Amino acid sequence: MWLPSRSEAARQAASGMRMTVAIILGFGIATRNLSVIINAVVALAVTYLPALLERDWDVRLSPELTFVVTLAVSLHTLGMVGLYEEVWWYDHLTHTLSAMLVAAVGYAATRAIDLHSEEVSFPPRFLSLFLLLFTLALGVFWEVLEFAARQAAATLGIEAVLVQYGLEDTILDLVFDTVGAILVALFGTERLTELTETLRERLAV
């Protein structure tokens, strides 16, 4: 009996999630829901980003990392059709996954610079602290973006594309952003070796 390899299974799952995002986009268009449409379009574009990076920049993401990217944007898109309001832990899950991606990119880029240049040296403790601060900084930026989007939507009298549920929600979002960064620091750095080497090679060009 033939079973797909781990990488092939990740590719198939990513394709299935991309199709799910496309269906949600169709739903948003049919119901004229602007927030669903915009979020689905952005999510769909992100699912093609790994292939674009490999084609145009020769930056190769592993099938597993591509799967996580697709999973994160797919879950966010699903959240826009009601899961954020109906499932209390759903927002925490999506923030943790998104923070893991941010931390992964931050680590791979910083480690690539460390390996590329003899004039730069980042001790392991610094990298761990950098992962946390980098992820939290982008998390704060995202929360400010959500607040600005809500204020702009209220001023214009239109539906907000991004939704913020208050100060308590913001604090919890940042807590789970921290959780995502810690998970990458503890368990994810070895899995980022291929991406780190790819970025190092690009710096050497």
Side-chain angles (χ1 to χ4, degrees):
M1 181 178 178
W2 178 83
L3 291 175
S5 66
R6 196 175 192 180
S7 296
E8 184 61 28
R11 289 191 185 94
Q12 292 175 1
S15 296
M17 287 185 289
R18 185 181 297 118
M19 181 62 67
T20 300
V21 174
I23 291 172
I24 294 173
L25 174 59
F27 169 80
I29 293 173
T31 58
R32 298 182 181 180
N33 189 318
L34 182 61
S35 63
V36 171
I37 292 172
I38 292 177
N39 280 275
V41 167
V42 173
L44 200 58
V46 170
T47 66
Y48 286 100
L49 184 59
L52 187 67
L53 288 173
E54 183 171 357
R55 186 193 70 186
D56 294 347
W57 297 90
D58 198 27
V59 174
R60 300 177 299 276
L61 302 186
S62 67
E64 292 79 9
L65 185 55
T66 300
F67 169 80
V68 175
V69 171
T70 309
L71 177 63
V73 296
S74 298
L75 289 178
H76 171 67
T77 308
L78 281 169
M80 296 303 299
V81 295
L83 289 179
Y84 279 133
E85 290 80 11
E86 296 175 6
V87 181
W88 66 267
W89 48 263
Y90 197 84
D91 188 42
H92 306 331
L93 173 63
T94 56
H95 265 274
T96 301
L97 279 174
S98 298
M100 289 174 65
L101 289 176
V102 168
V105 171
Y107 170 82
T110 307
R111 181 61 176 154
I113 294 171
D114 185 20
L115 294 173
H116 171 70
S117 176
E118 295 182 356
E119 299 178 357
V120 176
S121 178
F122 297 135
R125 288 186 179 180
F126 171 83
L127 278 177
S128 298
L129 180 61
F130 173 79
L131 275 182
L132 180 60
L133 295 178
F134 178 75
T135 306
L136 282 177
L138 287 186
V140 169
F141 174 75
W142 180 260
E143 297 301 323
V144 171
L145 190 64
E146 285 186 342
F147 177 78
R150 187 183 68 173
Q151 294 298 107
T155 301
L156 298 173
I158 60 176
E159 183 180 2
V161 175
L162 299 174
V163 181
Q164 190 180 54
Y165 298 100
L167 180 60
E168 182 179 353
D169 176 70
T170 297
I171 297 301
L172 282 174
D173 287 346
L174 294 176
V175 167
F176 283 94
D177 288 344
T178 303
V179 170
I182 291 174
L183 288 174
V184 171
L186 292 177
F187 307 111
T189 53
E190 291 186 3
R191 297 179 180 274
L192 296 168
T193 301
E194 182 180 355
L195 176 59
T196 300
E197 282 298 317
T198 299
L199 294 177
R200 185 186 67 79
E201 292 171 4
R202 293 296 302 169
L203 291 173
V205 174

